[in-house]
RNA sequence: CUACUCCUAUUACUCCCCA
């Protein structure tokens, strides 16, 4: 059984969950007693493939069959829920595990802190950090890195640095992840010199930059329009024996797309293929969006065909991108049709899908359609966010329906959202 | 050396910038 658990894990890593499932099925049929490992392995894999429903189902099935999940199994599903921004559900599960006498571990707390950061409740994450210490549980580098990373993303590098000092004071050594987060924060603020200084300090501490470090730098330069600098960095990383990966190339493509240099962007795709790096849906989405924003429809279409021929299929982001352009072109009928066809192709609309279409309606003054889309949204499990409400409130105001807008604003706070 | 937590790329509103 031990060996077969390893095999299940291998299949999961290779993207063959089904094989993993059949192994576990056989083991169950043969009457072997299984522990939490194969279940947790498969649940984790399903989450990573964004098969949320199946993951939750498996977890429930596991409990129905009388298996008591251990901490790691709970952690797995907690993490999946947090990543999906289903924090309320995660908390419910946390309470369940405590009730069942399953003692939360440091990983559990780290997972929840990460969840809090993801939904923007950074101050609650800080509170939990203090609480962990009071419960006699020592936070580790991951705990600190999680919060430092969030602060850096919010461009609060000063606060992040303070927290870094605190961790050192507590005897916890910063890791390469800590440094990478800080570098990203500094780059986003345009503090290139400080980022370079930090890089030099890392070298002095025998902390070697990883592909993450380089990708962060390459992406930052691309976003700031300095592709030349990004290309130099790529050369530099190759010299240091780190091969660019799909993320590196995607950053470069996006850099060119942002400057409307579509031919150069397309050229990067060809180069990456030539270098033996396989593009994924993400890479194609970048180019697809670039072509559409430049109204190069024929090339966009060709790109999609190319993508299909590589055995890749569009995802919800591909659809959203196309939906956005249809709205921009004023083809609302086509947009609505695309919206309806999504579900039949197995792609559930997400909040960005709804927001995009909503924006299209509002721009053309179709407020009734906008409001009925809002109704439709409320019948789904998709939760409206602040951007969605901004679009709707803005649309109502511009149409002179201020009472409706303020009604919506008061509805906002009942949902626990803070208007901006 | 069987599973769980931290860092990198794509899509929506506003703002900003540029024109």
């Amino acid at each position: 059984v031990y060996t077969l658990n390893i095999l299940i894990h291998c299949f999961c890593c290779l993207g063959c969950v089904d094989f993993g499932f059949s192994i576990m099925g056989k083991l169950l049929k043969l009457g072997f007693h299984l522990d939490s490992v194969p279940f947790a392995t498969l649940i984790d894999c399903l989450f990573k493939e964004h098969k949320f429903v199946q993951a939750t189902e498996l977890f429930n099935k596991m409990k129905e069959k009388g298996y008591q999940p251990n901490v790691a199994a709970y952690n797995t599903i907690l993490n999946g829920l947090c990543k999906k921004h289903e924090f309320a559900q995660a908390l419910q599960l946390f309470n369940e595990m405590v009730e069942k006498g399953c003692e939360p571990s440091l990983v559990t707390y780290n997972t929840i802190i990460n969840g809090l950061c993801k939904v923007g409740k950074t101050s609650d994450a800080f509170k939990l950090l203090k609480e962990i210490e009071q419960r006699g549980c020592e936070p580790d580098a991951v705990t600190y890195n999680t919060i430092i990373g969030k602060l850096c993303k919010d461009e609060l590098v000063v606060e992040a640095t303070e927290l870094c000092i605190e961790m050192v004071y507590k005897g916890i050594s910063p890791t390469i992840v800590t440094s990478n987060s800080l570098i990203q924060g500094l780059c986003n603020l345009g503090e290139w010199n400080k980022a370079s200084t930090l890089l030099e300090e890392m070298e002095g501490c025998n902390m070697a930059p990883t592909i993450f470090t380089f990708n962060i730098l390459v992406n930052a330069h691309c976003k700031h329009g300095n592709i030349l600098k990004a290309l130099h960095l790529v050369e530099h990383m190759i010299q240091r024996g780190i091969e660019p990966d799909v993320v590196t190339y995607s950053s470069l493509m996006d850099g060119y797309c942002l400057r409307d240099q579509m031919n150069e962007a397309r050229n990067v795709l060809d180069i990456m293929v030539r270098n033996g790096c396989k593009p994924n849906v993400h890479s194609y989405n970048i180019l697809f969006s670039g072509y559409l924003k430049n109204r190069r429809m024929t090339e966009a279409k060709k790109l999609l065909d190319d993508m299909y021929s590589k055995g890749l299929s569009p995802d919800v982001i591909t659809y959203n991108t196309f939906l956005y352009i249809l709205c921009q072109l004023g083809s609302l009928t086509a947009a609505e049709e695309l919206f309806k066809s999504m579900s039949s192709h197995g792609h559930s609309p997400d909040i960005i899908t709804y927001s995009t279409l909503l924006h299209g309606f509002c721009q053309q003054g179709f407020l009734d359609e906008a409001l009925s889309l809002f109704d439709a949204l409320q019948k789904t499990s998709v939760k409206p966010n602040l951007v969605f409400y901004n679009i709707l409130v803005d649309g109502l105001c511009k149409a002179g329906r201020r009472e409706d807008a303020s009604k919506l604003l008061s509805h906002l706070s009942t949902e626990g959202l803070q208007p901006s």
Side-chain angles (χ1 to χ4, degrees), chain A residues 341-386:
Chain A
S341 76
M342 282 179 71
S343 323
S344 54
H345 287 84
H347 295 288
S348 323
D350 62 10
I351 186 56
I352 296 189
T353 317
Y354 281 97
S355 305
T356 306
L357 192 56
L358 182 77
H359 186 230
F361 285 143
C362 288
Q363 266 185 331
Q364 311 271 331
F366 294 148
L367 268 296
D368 293 330
E369 281 80 356
L371 287 169
S372 61
L373 186 67
F374 181 39
D375 282 338
L377 169 65
Q378 284 171 317
K379 292 191 183 93
T380 71
S381 60
V382 181
K383 300 262 171 299
N385 62 12
L386 213 55

Side-chain angles (χ1 to χ4, degrees), chain A residues 206-226:
Chain A
N206 272 332
M207 199 187 263
T210 63
I211 183 122
F212 278 79
T213 321
F214 283 109
N215 285 344
I216 287 166
L217 292 164
V218 167
N219 183 49
H221 281 112
C222 287
K223 288 286 181 302
H224 282 80
N226 196 346

